[in-house]
Amino acid sequence: PIIKKLLYISLFIYSLSLMIHNNQRNPSSYPAFLNSTVNWCNTPDQDIFVTIEAMGHNSNISPKRSQHPGYGHKLLYAYYFKLLNLLNVSEYHKIEDFCQTSEPLKIWPVMIKNARTLSFLLFIVFCLVMGLTCWQLTGKPWAFPIGFYFCSLFPGGQYQSFIIRSELIATIMGCTGILFALMSLNAKRYLSYITFSILSGACIFVAIITKIQALPFLCFIVVIFAYF
């Protein structure tokens, strides 16, 4: 038993090490849009857009442009920026900061780096959720490190951990909704059943307001409760 425990712990630690290594490896081996040495204005896709909208939220400015519907991840990044500011990790977190510094362009590299750090941490959370889901499905604790390991190898998740987008957050919330649904079905007490069901619905709601394409998670949970 002790050898098995050491094996599973080693697998978990190896997965984390691999993720951190991939995040910190030589950027010249990545495509141009993942190369962290290039100018900040070459950041891919939604990086700058989401960062601006998140900072705008902290300045009580409504989103100027939203798609499918795209609110959840902006709120998360906004509160994350505010938390870093409260902890004195970062002095920038809102739009007004551009007017209060003599060199406003220096804000961008800091904000993009902070946001991408959150993306990487979210990928770890995603792997944790999937590991816990495997544990819940099998009822075996050893399924957790195995699920975590295989999830850490997921190319789409690795890609999302380098950029700032909504897909990873919507997927995390959708998978967490499924996890709570499974916990609800396995609950021994009625109160636990209701509590986990409410948490499952809340997670799915956040997933959908983050990205409407998360609707299949809702359909899957409805099927779980309807047939199991």
Side-chain angles (χ1 to χ4, degrees):
I2 188 66
I3 295 178
K4 285 186 176 181
K5 289 181 180 180
L6 290 174
L7 176 63
Y8 298 143
I9 293 173
S10 299
L11 190 62
F12 178 75
I13 294 175
Y14 171 74
S15 302
L16 279 176
S17 301
L18 182 64
M19 293 162 64
I20 294 173
H21 169 73
N22 287 338
N23 189 264
Q24 300 295 328
R25 64 190 290 192
N26 182 5
S28 63
S29 61
Y30 292 127
F33 56 81
L34 291 180
N35 190 339
S36 61
T37 63
V38 299
N39 191 281
W40 61 267
C41 64
N42 290 331
T43 52
D45 204 7
Q46 297 185 18
D47 281 20
I48 296 178
F49 167 67
V50 173
T51 301
I52 291 176
E53 295 277 64
M55 295 177 73
H57 178 272
N58 289 335
S59 298
N60 298 316
I61 300 175
S62 301
K64 300 301 180 183
R65 182 169 176 266
S66 295
Q67 291 182 345
H68 48 68
Y71 293 118
H73 63 302
K74 296 174 187 176
L75 292 176
L76 177 61
Y77 282 102
Y79 293 134
Y80 170 70
F81 292 151
K82 186 176 293 187
L83 176 63
L84 292 183
N85 181 257
L86 290 174
L87 296 176
N88 292 321
V89 176
S90 173
E91 57 182 312
Y92 312 119
H93 72 291
K94 54 185 179 179
I95 293 295
E96 287 89 336
D97 293 331
F98 288 101
C99 304
Q100 297 171 358
T101 178
S102 57
E103 298 182 80
L105 291 181
K106 286 187 175 181
I107 294 178
W108 284 117
V110 175
M111 299 305 297
I112 295 297
K113 179 181 178 181
N114 289 341
R116 288 183 174 180
T117 298
L118 178 59
S119 296
F120 176 67
L121 295 176
L122 287 171
F123 182 44
I124 296 178
V125 172
F126 175 55
C127 294
L128 287 172
V129 169
M130 295 308 295
L132 290 171
T133 302
C134 292
W135 184 352
Q136 193 65 216
L137 283 170
T138 62
K140 306 294 184 181
W142 53 259
F144 171 77
I146 294 177
F148 186 99
Y149 170 70
F150 282 106
C151 185
S152 69
L153 301 179
F154 177 46
Q158 293 181 5
Y159 172 73
Q160 291 287 326
S161 71
F162 291 104
I163 60 176
I164 308 168
R165 283 185 62 93
S166 58
E167 285 83 356
L168 182 58
I169 298 171
T171 303
I172 289 173
M173 299 311 299
C175 291
T176 304
I178 293 175
L179 173 61
F180 281 132
L182 294 173
M183 294 175 69
S184 175
L185 294 176
N186 293 330
K188 303 299 183 182
R189 296 184 300 175
Y190 184 73
L191 180 60
S192 298
Y193 175 84
I194 296 297
T195 301
F196 288 132
S197 298
I198 293 174
L199 290 174
S200 176
C203 290
I204 294 301
F205 173 75
V206 174
I208 292 175
I209 67 169
T210 300
K211 200 168 185 68
I212 195 64
Q213 287 88 339
L215 274 174
F217 286 108
L218 175 60
C219 298
F220 186 73
I221 288 179
V222 170
V223 171
I224 289 177
F225 281 108
Y227 293 96
F228 298 98

